[in-house]
Amino acid sequence: MSSVALAGNVRSAAALRARSEDRTAWLLAAPAIVLLLLFVLLPVAAVIFLGFTDFELGYGKFRFVGFENYAHLLNDRTFRRSLWNTSVYTAIVAPVSIVLGLGVALLIEGEGRARGFFRTVYFLPVASLIVAMATVWQYIFHPTIGPLNALLSLAGIPGPNWLGASNTVLYSLSIIGIWQSVGFNMVLFLAGLTAIPRELYAAAHVDGAKSALDRFFLVTWPMLGPTTLFVVTISITNAVKVFETVKMLTDGGPNKASEVLLFTIYQEGFVYLRVGYASAMTVVFLAILVVLMLLQYRVLDRRVHYT
């Protein structure tokens, strides 16, 4: 009987200790849960709710309009134009910044002496103030006094109005977006390259991978799978969320040639004060992001080798 009682006491003590650990865990997680609820889940729920109304800032009353806002989006030329511009911008910025980020990371990884210097130089665009950098790029792209057109004129090529012409403004913003993203992608790829065991390169060399290109495709690229998946996800998300450079440099012009999704949402919600319609746009924007993330993980995650 004493052994049975002792076993029962041990189980009771273990159960009490487990409950105490559970309470401690919930107490530690409570601040993060509250912040997540207040600043993520509740705002998303409010946006979804407002998307079914005709709410406008400054008016106390509003009514439910069902899917009227979403039906209007299908015929909204400005929304379709901003969706197209965002797609083009993302299709240019994301892949180019990923490839350049990987290339720069490989060059810096192979550099022994000045590795820290080049890492800092390439990361500066990420740490720089966007407002200050926008002013610099505005000067670079200036049609008359800008150094870019000055260089083109030396070669006898007439320089375009980079930020003032409909056929060049989106590509000019894409150049700025690539410049902003390369440094961040470089740091992520450098972290992935550092984690690759050096023994794998020695083994690949023994197996006949003599050139750097052979070692890259045999060792580096497969081992960078998890890092590449993360970089692709972050790059596409950041490209779709472009707003600051558009607002500061072009204000969506000329003729809406550089108007992107977030800028259109900003215009509808904070300029025209049509919060209900802007909320419907936001829901579509969030849905696009979710679909893109799911597609990336379903397609790329199958090719990733985790160690």
Side-chain angles (χ1 to χ4, degrees):
M1 293 294 292
S2 60
S3 61
V4 174
L6 180 61
N9 291 334
V10 171
R11 285 194 296 270
S12 298
L16 288 173
R17 186 164 56 252
R19 285 196 293 269
S20 176
E21 291 176 354
D22 290 342
R23 285 194 296 269
T24 303
W26 279 108
L27 286 174
L28 292 174
I33 294 174
V34 171
L35 291 175
L36 180 67
L37 181 66
L38 291 178
F39 295 104
V40 178
L41 299 181
L42 286 181
V44 169
V47 165
I48 294 174
F49 170 77
L50 291 173
F52 294 102
T53 70
D54 63 349
F55 178 68
E56 296 184 10
L57 283 178
Y59 293 88
K61 296 181 180 180
F62 61 90
R63 63 184 180 89
F64 291 95
V65 295
F67 289 93
E68 185 178 318
N69 288 329
Y70 296 94
H72 183 57
L73 284 177
L74 298 176
N75 301 316
D76 190 342
R77 294 178 58 186
T78 299
F79 176 75
R80 293 202 305 268
R81 181 66 180 272
S82 65
L83 184 61
W84 170 255
N85 289 340
T86 304
S87 301
V88 172
Y89 180 89
T90 304
I92 296 173
V93 172
V96 175
S97 64
I98 292 170
V99 172
L100 290 180
L102 176 59
V104 172
L106 290 171
L107 291 174
I108 292 178
E109 181 68 14
E111 177 63 41
R113 297 180 178 178
R115 181 182 302 178
F117 170 75
F118 287 112
R119 186 183 304 172
T120 303
V121 169
Y122 281 104
F123 191 73
L124 277 177
V126 181
S128 301
L129 291 175
I130 297 178
V131 176
M133 292 300 101
T135 304
V136 174
W137 279 104
Q138 193 171 34
Y139 167 69
I140 293 174
F141 285 135
H142 197 280
T144 55
I145 63 173
L148 183 57
N149 279 357
L151 290 175
L152 292 176
S153 64
L154 293 177
I157 303 173
N161 187 356
W162 296 96
L163 296 174
S166 299
N167 59 339
T168 58
V169 61
L170 196 58
Y171 301 108
S172 302
L173 292 174
S174 298
I175 293 173
I176 300 174
I178 293 169
W179 173 80
Q180 286 179 304
S181 304
V182 166
F184 185 68
N185 293 343
M186 173 209 67
V187 171
L188 296 176
F189 278 122
L190 276 175
L193 290 170
T194 305
I196 298 176
R198 300 297 101 179
E199 296 83 2
L200 294 179
Y201 291 104
H205 183 76
V206 172
D207 289 340
K210 304 299 182 181
S211 67
L213 191 63
D214 291 336
R215 291 192 294 272
F216 173 80
F217 285 108
L218 188 63
V219 178
T220 306
W221 184 242
M223 295 300 294
L224 280 178
T227 303
T228 303
L229 177 61
F230 180 73
V231 171
V232 169
T233 303
I234 292 297
S235 297
I236 293 179
T237 303
N238 289 339
V240 172
K241 295 191 305 180
V242 60
F243 172 76
E244 292 91 345
T245 51
V246 174
K247 175 60 181 172
M248 288 183 289
L249 292 177
T250 66
D251 212 30
N255 300 321
K256 301 185 184 298
S258 64
E259 187 160 329
V260 291
L261 273 178
L262 277 187
F263 184 82
T264 303
I265 294 172
Y266 164 80
Q267 288 281 101
E268 291 291 340
F270 296 99
V271 178
Y272 306 134
L273 306 181
R274 297 190 294 182
V275 176
Y277 190 52
S279 298
M281 286 186 179
T282 305
V283 171
V284 174
F285 174 75
L286 293 176
I288 291 172
L289 285 180
V290 171
V291 170
L292 286 174
M293 297 307 103
L294 291 177
L295 286 176
Q296 289 173 53
Y297 277 98
R298 286 183 65 87
V299 174
L300 296 179
D301 194 53
R302 298 176 182 176
R303 306 179 182 181
V304 172
H305 301 281
Y306 294 96
T307 57

